[in-house]
Amino acid sequence: MPTIKDVARLAGVTVTTVSRVLNNRGYISDATRQKVYQAMEELNYQPNEIARSLHRRKSKLIGLIIPTVSHPFFGELAGFIEYYAHLIGYKVLICNSLLDRKKEKEYIEMLKSNRVDGIIMGSHTLEVEEYMNLNYPIVTFDRRISEEIPYISSDNYGGGKLATHLLIQKGCKKIAHISGNLQLQLLANKRSQAFIELSKEHGIESVIVETDLNVFDITQYEAMIRNLLEKHPDIDGVFASSDVMAAYFIQIGYFLNRRIPEHIKIVGYDDIKLASLFVPPLTTIRQPIEEMAKCAVELIVKQVNEEPFERENVFPVELIERLTT
Amino acid sequence: MPTIKDVARLAGVTVTTVSRVLNNRGYISDATRQKVYQAMEELNYQPNEIARSLHRRKSKLIGLIIPTVSHPFFGELAGFIEYYAHLIGYKVLICNSLLDRKKEKEYIEMLKSNRVDGIIMGSHTLEVEEYMNLNYPIVTFDRRISEEIPYISSDNYGGGKLATHLLIQKGCKKIAHISGNLQLQLLANKRSQAFIELSKEHGIESVIVETDLNVFDITQYEAMIRNLLEKHPDIDGVFASSDVMAAYFIQIGYFLNRRIPEHIKIVGYDDIKLASLFVPPLTTIRQPIEEMAKCAVELIVKQVNEEPFERENVFPVELIERLTT
DNA sequence: TTTTTTATGTCAAACGATTGACATATTGAA
DNA sequence: TTCAATATGTCAATCGTTTGACATAAAAAA
């Protein structure tokens, strides 16, 4: 690979001049500029970003740690994060923690070693202190870690209320809620909280099931749901904490001959792209994934540039009523 | 951030010694080793991988260009690629081209500037020569570019045959095929080819529609499919070139009161995780996504290490018969 | 004509690590 | 006692780029 020296030699100038052209600094005549460009063209020269990063002490890299990009919600989130990062010249290193503590820790070390400019954490299996000692530009999704670290979430409580309220309003008598593991101190737990409070308030019978810590071990979902419906055959309303979980419900309902929405009404959460394609199309609580992604990138950049930023970034949710309610 | 010098100073040794500890070279007494480790611990030192990369001229980075990680197939693919890359100490830079030529080109330049060790191309909107001049360790998905560049694909022709054959065997009289844009010289086009040949061979009426070049502009799918069913209301079998397209079909069928599989049978392609959750669960052609991802990483590594490698990597597909046929 | 402005060059340090060549000192074994 | 193995140090180059300090010369403006 050609270096700046090769370009300088071919253009008949010094590296300083080439660097000036490259970085638009100081005085450069058009003639020289052209010569340099031509030499770069001829050699197919691309400045070595690694060397630049080393010198500038900025890598223009953002680390993204999520459970897995193959989960539709995180896939969409990652897509938007990369989109907005790219717009402003940042690159994205993806890390799929699979919600494994060891992996998550490894990834954090790795990202620091690689001197990424900031880390977006969408997976949190570690203890609060471990994040606090990080001393690095960070943004978290759905988890409040400390007074300093900014976080992004949707209005989980509001979403939980919307969902539960809709079920009640539609006449459900016994409702269930299926959530991720509640031990992972996520803000998403507020969805469950809203569910509990609202059903209590309205005197409606309710039941909650949660996954084990392997939240994304999708194989457990089916057994959980079948179990739930067996134990409580009179459930007529379900609030699922993600659209994927809702999909399981729809399907199991279909196999058990419970018609949706006639026998059981279902509300999901996220509004992934495929939610509208389910049969019947899923009623769900929409998180503004794109806006949240954009915000995450901005929060990193603001920290890098030492600009002021908001610590709490809670995004409004929206009830998307389709045909499962 | 502390440097190797800080560690050396604190441990009371020279940087050479620290480097020896770090890289396990030469003679080091246990006592010194401990001193060094302790100093690193105390300073929370992490070797600067950027400096290392510069010196080693290896970044341990793999660039991954795909249409978008938010598409389930590519999301799953990206997940596995990152998984296998991580296992052997490689990191993954994701790039969502959105099948935009300009973006794709930008990304390639960017990846080269960042001296990634190799590029996995799952998006190909450029001309063959542009890839050939790349002169870089590359692996492509689903496209044969030159005699040198290795590629990975599923047995598209076999898959097309399996799908078409199943429809015919189940008694369909008029079958349709909906595919991505055929101009993008992809190996996936062989699915269509098999469809055409087989239906001709069996004397079965058939019709093909393809998306425009914005293959992932999902909004066009619905109109396309509705259009198709309006023009050809007697279609009783569909082979969709991806599970997502099949999902559209299932749903539109549902809205038009065409029962599946009684009135229309549907076969998808990919076998994304959600395919089994569709209602009814989707019959599809399974691509071994994980194996393909693993192979992609291996092909990059082999090129980096200048080991011999296979140019053609065609993976067998499997018919997964569920309830839409 | 003199002064500025513009255009380029020279030189060298810095970013943070690795590494080779060589020197020196301490052990332990022969 | 002598030699080899072990342990560390010194020094400097290298990876590819940026940048500051300073010098010089030509062109443009005063």
Side-chain angles (χ1 to χ4, degrees), chain B residues 12-14 16-17 20 27-29 32 54-55 57:
Chain B
V13 297
T14 62
T16 306
T17 304
R20 280 180 186 134
Y27 295 116
I28 290 289
S29 70
T32 306
L54 180 59
H55 189 268
R57 295 196 262 166

Side-chain angles (χ1 to χ4, degrees), chain A residues 231-249:
Chain A
K231 260 198 194 147
H232 305 275
D234 49 341
I235 283 172
D236 58 1
V238 172
F239 168 32
S241 206
S242 78
D243 290 347
V244 174
M245 285 178 175
Y248 273 88
F249 232 104

Side-chain angles (χ1 to χ4, degrees), chain A residues 13-14 16-17 20 27-29 32 55:
Chain A
V13 298
T14 61
T16 307
T17 304
R20 280 180 187 134
Y27 296 113
I28 290 288
S29 69
T32 307
H55 189 268

Side-chain angles (χ1 to χ4, degrees), chain B residues 186-231:
Chain B
L186 300 180
L187 293 169
N189 294 3
K190 293 192 171 181
R191 301 173 196 169
S192 312
Q193 195 187 321
F195 174 84
I196 294 170
E197 289 181 17
L198 220 63
S199 48
K200 196 165 283 174
E201 199 177 293
H202 285 259
I204 298 236
E205 210 180 333
S206 69
V207 35
I208 290 197
V209 284
E210 56 179 303
T211 64
D212 60 30
L213 281 165
N214 300 313
V215 181
F216 289 96
D217 172 17
I218 268 174
T219 53
Q220 64 176 303
Y221 290 4
E222 193 174 332
M224 269 179 58
I225 295 173
R226 282 184 179 275
N227 212 351
L228 175 69
L229 288 178
E230 224 161 79
K231 263 197 193 145

Side-chain angles (χ1 to χ4, degrees), chain B residues 13-292:
Chain B
V13 297
T14 62
V15 293
T16 306
T17 304
V18 177
S19 177
R20 280 180 186 134
V21 171
L22 231 34
N23 298 287
N24 255 314
R25 283 180 46 257
Y27 295 116
I28 290 289
S29 70
D30 263 3
T32 306
R33 199 182 294 275
Q34 287 319 312
K35 270 196 304 186
V36 171
Y37 279 141
Q38 201 183 314
M40 298 199 302
E41 186 83 14
E42 205 164 314
L43 292 171
N44 207 339
Y45 169 76
Q46 329 238 157
N48 184 327
E49 285 297 329
I50 296 186
R52 285 179 154 185
S53 294
L54 180 59
H55 189 268
R56 301 204 173 119
R57 295 196 262 166
K58 287 267 162 79
S59 62
K60 287 271 177 183
L61 270 172
I62 291 177
L64 174 61
I65 306 184
I66 52 179
T68 170
V69 78
S70 69
H71 185 282
F73 173 73
F74 288 105
E76 292 180 24
L77 186 68
F80 285 122
I81 285 177
E82 194 280 323
Y83 176 80
Y84 284 104
H86 178 75
L87 278 188
I88 51 172
Y90 278 81
K91 297 144 276 177
V92 176
L93 269 177
I94 26 161
C95 309
N96 301 302
S97 73
L98 304 177
L99 294 181
D100 174 329
R101 299 171 62 88
K102 200 166 138 260
K103 279 197 97 176
E104 195 182 311
K105 211 158 180 174
E106 263 174 50
Y107 276 126
I108 292 176
E109 301 290 289
M110 181 276 273
L111 293 174
K112 288 180 77 174
S113 288
N114 282 276
R115 301 297 191 267
V116 299
D117 290 345
I119 301 179
I120 299 176
M121 301 269 337
S123 163
H124 331 263
T125 56
L126 307 182
E127 303 303 323
V128 169
E129 314 86 55
E130 308 192 68
Y131 296 109
M132 288 181 61
N133 298 333
L134 238 49
N135 207 276
Y136 220 84
I138 290 190
V139 177
T140 73
F141 267 94
D142 228 50
R143 178 148 172 197
R144 188 155 34 198
I145 286 179
S146 73
E147 292 302 317
E148 293 84 41
I149 300 176
Y151 68 87
I152 293 172
S153 82
S154 65
D155 176 8
N156 287 291
Y157 190 83
K161 248 175 97 172
L162 277 174
T164 313
H165 196 264
L166 180 68
L167 293 173
I168 294 173
Q169 175 208 317
K170 293 267 177 173
C172 295
K173 298 294 177 221
K174 177 165 180 180
I175 57 184
H177 174 52
I178 167 170
S179 79
N181 192 286
L182 298 172
Q183 278 180 52
L184 300 167
Q185 311 269 347
L186 300 180
L187 293 169
N189 294 3
K190 293 192 171 181
R191 301 173 196 169
S192 312
Q193 195 187 321
F195 174 84
I196 294 170
E197 289 181 17
L198 220 63
S199 48
K200 196 165 283 174
E201 199 177 293
H202 285 259
I204 298 236
E205 210 180 333
S206 69
V207 35
I208 290 197
V209 284
E210 56 179 303
T211 64
D212 60 30
L213 281 165
N214 300 313
V215 181
F216 289 96
D217 172 17
I218 268 174
T219 53
Q220 64 176 303
Y221 290 4
E222 193 174 332
M224 269 179 58
I225 295 173
R226 282 184 179 275
N227 212 351
L228 175 69
L229 288 178
E230 224 161 79
K231 263 197 193 145
H232 304 276
D234 50 341
I235 282 172
D236 58 0
V238 172
F239 169 32
S241 205
S242 78
D243 290 347
V244 174
M245 285 178 176
Y248 272 89
F249 232 104
I250 293 178
Q251 197 186 57
I252 292 168
Y254 164 80
F255 278 119
L256 298 179
N257 278 314
R258 310 284 187 94
R259 292 181 57 193
I260 294 165
E262 292 82 354
H263 300 161
I264 304 186
K265 304 194 193 310
I266 301 180
V267 184
Y269 204 101
D270 291 344
D271 196 26
I272 59 176
K273 277 185 202 147
L274 279 174
S276 69
L277 287 181
F278 292 171
V279 169
L282 181 66
T283 292
T284 191
I285 306 297
R286 174 177 190 273
Q287 297 199 61
I289 304 183
E290 178 165 2
E291 288 80 358
M292 290 163 79

Side-chain angles (χ1 to χ4, degrees), chain A residues 176 209 222-238 248-254 256 258 264 266:
Chain A
V209 283
E222 193 173 329
M224 268 179 58
I225 295 173
R226 280 184 180 274
N227 211 350
L228 176 69
L229 288 178
E230 223 161 81
K231 260 198 194 147
H232 305 275
D234 49 341
I235 283 172
D236 58 1
V238 172
Y248 273 88
F249 232 104
I250 294 178
Q251 196 185 58
I252 292 167
Y254 164 81
L256 298 179
R258 310 284 188 93
I264 304 186
I266 300 180

